[in-house]
Amino acid sequence: MDRYAEIAQHVQNGYSERARKAVEAALAEGCPAERVLKEGLIAGMEVVAAKFKSGQMFLPEVLAVAGAMKAGMELVKPLLVAARHEPLGKVVLGTVRGDMHDIGKNLVAIMLQGAGFDVVDLGTDVRVEKFIDAIEREHPDVVGMSALLTTTMVHMKTVIEALKQRDLRAHVKVIVGGAPISKNFASEIGADGYARDAATAVDVVKELLNSR
Ligand code: B1M
């Protein structure tokens, strides 16, 4: 088993300490941080997501997996961020109200930072007022919203409506993403962009900034 497969296996098993050590070893051996992230950590998480969906894994196991993913990501993140130069722009990012899922949103943050953007991460369960306050305070170029639940994705529209009411909509581009989100949904709620994964999110944010 190569290092990447080993990391993916520890993530799948929810072994935080082993995942952390395997990531540490891979980086010490010169494995690129991008490959450790994609072929190790994300690959492991993808297997778990499929198993959870089909009822082969349950919440307590998934929580352990999330911990292992986080342990690995903490080592990879500074390396991806260190490669950056002058900020390309500022992005305010958060998982919407009622939603605690942050693994995908954190990946988007890491990828954006790695690509050279300043990211203000508001965390999870972000209420509309918190998005608005951050936008008024930080003056970002883009606001990014993540949702993993069909019951919380509706809050994305609430934020966009609040931006209009505060006359902020023209000053900030909006990108949305997350497992239940589609391009159609993004257009319906009036977002400027949609990305199905973290790498695409970087491309979309760049396109949105170029289109201003
Ligand atoms: Co939850 N969960 N979960 N969960 N969970 C899902 C989302 C679910 C699809 C599983 C299922 O039943 N099949 C289901 C939602 C069903 C639905 O709404 N249709 C579900 C449920 C029901 C729940 C609970 C309600 C379960 C319960 O309590 N009974 C509960 C809700 C808690 C809450 O939020 N209020 C819950 C809890 C949890 C855990 C806490 C155990 C854990 C989250 C841990 C954490 O995030 N810190 C968890 C997890 C891990 C999952 C699954 C298994 C995996 C999600 C994940 O991290 N994927 C998930 C199943 C699935 O997605 N198939 C599931 C890996 C991650 C890299 O992908 O987040 O999709 P993802 O992000 C991708 C893209 O979507 C995109 O880029 C990312 C990277 O490529 N992306 C963006 C994401 N945000 C973006 C933003 C962008 C652009 C792209 O621009 C701004």
Side-chain angles (χ1 to χ4, degrees):
M1 197 189 291
D2 69 12
R3 278 286 180 210
Y4 304 111
E6 187 190 342
I7 294 165
Q9 192 61 56
H10 292 321
V11 169
Q12 282 177 58
N13 292 339
Y15 295 155
S16 295
E17 192 50 25
R18 289 185 199 181
R20 197 186 59 75
K21 282 193 174 147
V23 169
E24 214 166 44
L27 296 173
E29 286 161 12
C31 298
E34 292 83 3
R35 286 190 67 189
V36 171
L37 178 66
K38 285 183 194 157
E39 295 172 38
L41 297 169
I42 294 179
M45 194 66 212
E46 280 171 356
V47 175
V48 172
K51 284 189 175 169
F52 190 45
K53 195 172 179 181
S54 62
Q56 296 172 66
M57 270 182 106
F58 300 99
L59 275 180
E61 295 161 285
V62 176
L63 271 176
V65 169
M69 178 92 187
K70 194 170 173 209
M73 271 164 70
E74 273 165 9
L75 295 173
V76 168
K77 185 177 170 180
L79 297 174
L80 292 173
V81 173
R84 53 179 285 179
H85 307 287
E86 275 298 293
L88 296 179
K90 191 187 266 190
V91 182
V92 160
L93 192 64
T95 303
V96 295
R97 179 182 170 186
D99 201 322
M100 307 309 291
H101 295 87
D102 66 356
I103 296 171
K105 184 262 300 165
N106 292 346
L107 283 175
V108 172
I110 291 171
M111 295 285 206
L112 283 170
Q113 285 171 326
F117 289 92
D118 269 343
V119 174
V120 180
D121 188 344
L122 303 178
T124 58
D125 187 20
V126 181
R127 289 172 173 266
V128 61
E129 300 80 15
K130 196 169 173 185
F131 273 113
I132 299 294
D133 286 352
I135 291 160
E136 286 178 336
R137 187 181 64 241
E138 302 286 346
H139 306 290
D141 305 285
V142 177
V143 58
M145 291 183 276
S146 178
L148 265 286
L149 299 171
T150 44
T151 49
T152 59
M153 59 197 270
V154 291
H155 298 311
M156 291 175 161
K157 186 172 180 185
T158 314
V159 173
I160 292 174
E161 293 304 320
L163 286 173
K164 287 181 194 162
Q165 280 166 15
R166 307 282 185 104
D167 286 331
L168 290 168
R169 185 66 186 93
H171 303 294
V172 70
K173 297 284 183 185
V174 178
I175 174 175
V176 293
I181 310 301
S182 65
K183 201 169 181 174
N184 277 349
F185 176 77
S187 317
E188 270 169 38
I189 62 170
D192 301 297
Y194 156 77
R196 65 179 163 74
D197 57 44
T200 313
V202 173
D203 295 337
V204 173
V205 167
K206 284 181 179 168
E207 279 164 25
L208 291 178
L209 293 190
N210 287 336
S211 70
R212 286 190 306 180

